[in-house]
Amino acid sequence: MMDDKEQIKEVYRTYWRYMIEKNADGLREMMTEDYYLQHMTGVKQSAEVFLKGLLNGTFNYYSANHDDIEVTVHGDRAEMIGKSRVLAAVYGGGKHRWRLQGDFTLRKEQGEWKLSSSRASTY
């Protein structure tokens, strides 16, 4: 049986697998109703807007190699910082390797850890 920290680390690995697979349904199930993503540019997007961009080719992810996943749990809430080297093509640009850091917040809903927000940056 995995403890909360291990469950949350698995959420992160699954999140990236689904991003690469463009599995919008799987991603949506991982997110709270009020989930939002804040891009490096500062733009905030709801889950639906972001997932639409994933499906329409605005965001394309090809691989993700995880360097570090840090988790802090506070009861039914948690913070996670994931650092991954990601091969991606976004906003019409060519493929580039990015050192992406995701600062996530999570909530435990009905016994399951869900992503409630993420903020993208580089490291």
Side-chain angles (χ1 to χ4, degrees):
M1 179 92 174
M2 286 192 283
D3 66 10
D4 285 331
K5 285 186 178 186
E6 287 306 313
Q7 288 176 31
I8 292 167
K9 287 179 181 184
E10 188 59 29
V11 166
Y12 182 76
R13 289 186 284 267
T14 301
Y15 169 84
W16 276 110
R17 188 174 75 242
Y18 286 173
M19 295 274 276
I20 293 163
E21 295 170 354
K22 292 186 178 278
N23 182 343
D25 291 336
L27 285 164
R28 190 71 194 102
E29 288 180 24
M30 299 178 70
M31 299 170 176
T32 60
E33 285 295 317
D34 59 345
Y35 172 88
Y36 68 88
L37 166 69
Q38 184 173 343
H39 291 275
M40 284 184 270
T41 61
V43 171
K44 284 186 179 181
Q45 290 183 321
S46 68
E48 297 312 317
V49 171
F50 175 70
L51 294 173
K52 182 178 177 183
L54 184 67
L55 293 176
N56 73 17
T58 301
F59 308 110
N60 299 287
Y61 301 96
Y62 303 100
S63 67
N65 298 312
H66 312 307
D67 289 333
D68 191 37
I69 308 169
E70 295 177 29
V71 176
T72 307
V73 178
H74 310 281
D76 64 351
R77 297 191 181 267
E79 291 94 35
M80 171 177 58
I81 299 172
K83 295 179 179 177
S84 300
R85 288 167 284 122
V86 176
L87 183 60
V90 297
Y91 295 112
K95 282 186 186 179
H96 297 282
R97 189 157 309 276
W98 301 80
R99 294 167 57 94
L100 291 182
Q101 176 172 311
D103 292 51
F104 294 84
T105 59
L106 300 95
R107 284 196 308 262
K108 200 170 203 178
E109 295 182 348
Q110 299 175 354
E112 205 173 320
W113 285 103
K114 303 258 185 179
L115 300 169
S116 52
S117 73
S118 60
R119 187 178 76 239
S121 61
T122 58
Y123 68 99

